[in-house]
Amino acid sequence: EAGVTQSPRYAVLQEGQAVSFWCDPISGHDTLYWYQQPRDQGPQLLVYFRDEAVIDNSQLPSDRFSAVRPKGTNSTLKIQSAKQGDTATYLCASSRLGGQYFGPGTRLTVL
Amino acid sequence: AQSVTQPDARVTVSEGASLQLRCKYSYFGTPYLFWYVQYPRQGLQLLLKYYPGDPVVQGVNGFEAEFSKSNSSFHLRKASVHWSDWAVYFCAVSMGSGSWQLIFGSGTQLTVMP
């Protein structure tokens, strides 16, 4: 069974640039999560979906971050105008009936 | 509000020695608890999970954890550490059924000395 895949693995931007992260969850997993993990910290939930519906996006900085999962499978997280404070690893996870499985993450550096 | 505290940011043990990584949670109700491991430049891997029932749960690679409601703890243990266990370990709590989102602790960096 293939695990959660993410791309790109690394991204380096100047402040103000936009970036998108892509996630392909484990087949059959109805729930998909996006986390932000700053260096030397634990992951913090940004948003999660069940199928195509957003269940909780209360921690997503809505003025610059957006996330979609249009067909209830793959998902895209986008940062419109990146700031240095967005420097972190962005992790995608999927689950079905509990027990989340994580992808390798995208390490973002904003200069 | 739910929270998880891992009081030890760094732990160093000798290879072959026993290990305990501490985790304290704050949650009103019955928690679902998890331990994840993160190797360098990799995502998180599930080590073990506690669903209400037997307080001692077994995980992969010889890890186990014990849930204590009275102490609000979920400590991770291993009898004999191997050099390949060098990684960051995260404890997490979830409300469970209906909302499986995880609240993570800040992590414990485990260093294994030869």
Side-chain angles (χ1 to χ4, degrees), chain B residues 78-100:
Chain B
K78 188 172 184 179
S80 177
V81 171
H82 188 264
W83 65 267
S84 60
D85 295 324
W86 189 321
V88 181
Y89 293 79
F90 291 96
C91 182
V93 66
S94 169
M95 291 188 289
S97 178
S99 179
W100 288 103

Side-chain angles (χ1 to χ4, degrees), chain A residues 9 33 37 42 45 100 103, chain B residues 36 38 41 43 90 100-102:
Chain A
R9 292 296 309 273
Y33 308 79
Q37 185 180 19
L45 182 70
Q100 295 180 28
Chain B
Y36 283 85
Q38 188 172 35
R41 293 176 294 282
F90 291 96
W100 288 103
Q101 59 182 296
L102 295 171

